Amino acid sequence: MRMVSARLTGRPGAEPPAVGAGLIHDLLWAHASPADGLEHIRVRSLPHGMDVVLFLAAGSDEAALRSADVLMERFRGPLSRHGLTGHIVR
């Protein structure tokens, strides 16, 4: 299992989003596919937004990053609807 971190933040100049960690957790699961290898998610609310840790079944760090990138790309639409943007922390 590999860990990949992501950071979610509100859009610059916008009101802080009123989204909880539980909703983000559920949305990530809803948008994950079996090919992503997602096994577990941790979401923590912080002043800047949220920190997310994805635990992925992958054979290498590079494979885990690729899977996380694909999942985050799929997740950008729902994030945007909730006033958030997100990126993988490398």
Side-chain angles (χ1 to χ4, degrees):
M1 184 178 341
R2 309 290 172 144
M3 293 180 0
V4 176
S5 296
R7 180 153 297 140
L8 309 181
T9 57
R11 289 187 212 118
E15 296 265 336
V19 177
L23 176 64
I24 295 301
H25 180 272
D26 292 348
L27 283 172
L28 275 163
W29 274 117
H31 288 84
S33 75
D36 297 326
L38 187 61
E39 294 185 342
H40 187 69
I41 304 168
R42 293 276 178 164
V43 182
R44 185 171 65 157
S45 293
L46 298 169
H48 70 266
M50 294 184 196
D51 280 348
V52 177
V53 179
L54 305 171
F55 297 84
L56 302 154
S60 68
D61 291 343
E62 294 80 20
L65 284 168
R66 282 192 302 273
S67 290
D69 281 335
V70 169
L71 176 56
M72 287 302 290
E73 185 60 34
R74 204 178 307 124
F75 192 48
R76 287 193 203 295
L79 274 179
S80 179
R81 285 189 287 282
H82 289 285
L84 293 166
T85 61
H87 65 277
I88 300 299
V89 178
R90 298 189 195 275

